[in-house]
Amino acid sequence: GVVVFLFGIVAMLAVTKSHNDAISGYIANLYSFHSWVGVTVLSLFTLQFLVGILSFGGFLSGSSRLGNPTLMEIHKYTGTYIHILVTATIMLGIQEKEGFVNCSYTVDSPDLFPISNYGKIPDTCKISHGLGIVILAMGVCTTLALAKFPVL
């Protein structure tokens, strides 16, 4: 938790620094849906982190290290929700960058069989598409791993 929190702070500082750099040009900080979802994720994670430390670390009066079972269920649900939002934020970031590098191709007729135009997609975009699919698969698999299915 602490490492992820620190990485989040470093990421926000890096984005703010790169967007406010006079040499490479100024960029608005909250111009995209990716940035808004990212700020939401970092805010929710920070809240989740603080509630976890205070509640389950025994720092709140009357709380024990075992914590409140109801609060634990809320904490687990919120953690899964944040994980899904992180996956979505990463995919939104990939999609945003694909727009910057023009991940499109020209067609002269209806694109009824898009796979036939696969060769027209820039290589950079093929890599980012593949990365997006891997991230989506990892998000689905790790979220599925959190589920408690009954043993048959």
Side-chain angles (χ1 to χ4, degrees), residues 16-82:
T16 304
K17 184 175 186 224
S18 71
H19 283 200
N20 296 309
D21 183 27
I23 296 170
S24 61
Y26 298 113
I27 302 170
N29 281 310
L30 292 173
Y31 71 94
S32 68
F33 189 53
H34 165 72
S35 60
W36 282 91
V37 175
V39 168
T40 302
V41 166
L42 284 173
S43 300
L44 287 172
F45 178 81
T46 301
L47 183 62
Q48 171 88 333
F49 182 66
L50 292 174
V51 167
I53 286 176
L54 294 175
S55 298
F56 305 114
F59 294 110
L60 291 178
S61 61
S63 67
S64 69
R65 290 191 63 75
L66 298 176
N68 181 338
T70 302
L71 187 59
M72 178 61 84
E73 287 303 312
I74 294 169
H75 187 75
K76 290 190 310 189
Y77 170 79
T78 307
T80 303
Y81 180 70
I82 291 169

Side-chain angles (χ1 to χ4, degrees), residues 90-129:
I90 294 168
M91 293 176 62
L92 284 168
I94 291 170
Q95 187 266 335
E96 182 180 321
K97 290 299 180 187
E98 285 181 347
F100 294 156
V101 297
N102 195 18
C103 282
S104 62
Y105 55 89
T106 305
V107 291
D108 302 324
S109 60
D111 196 11
L112 300 177
F113 300 102
I115 196 69
S116 65
N117 292 311
Y118 180 78
K120 295 180 182 178
I121 299 172
D123 289 339
T124 304
C125 302
K126 290 176 188 173
I127 292 169
S128 64
H129 294 350

Side-chain angles (χ1 to χ4, degrees), residues 72-73 76 80 142-151:
M72 178 61 84
E73 287 303 312
K76 290 190 310 189
T80 303
T142 53
T143 303
L144 187 63
L146 294 172
K148 291 188 177 181
F149 295 106
V151 177

Side-chain angles (χ1 to χ4, degrees), residues 1-14 42 45-46 49:
V2 175
V3 174
V4 173
F5 181 73
L6 292 174
F7 280 162
I9 290 172
V10 170
M12 290 301 290
L13 291 173
L42 284 173
F45 178 81
T46 301
F49 182 66

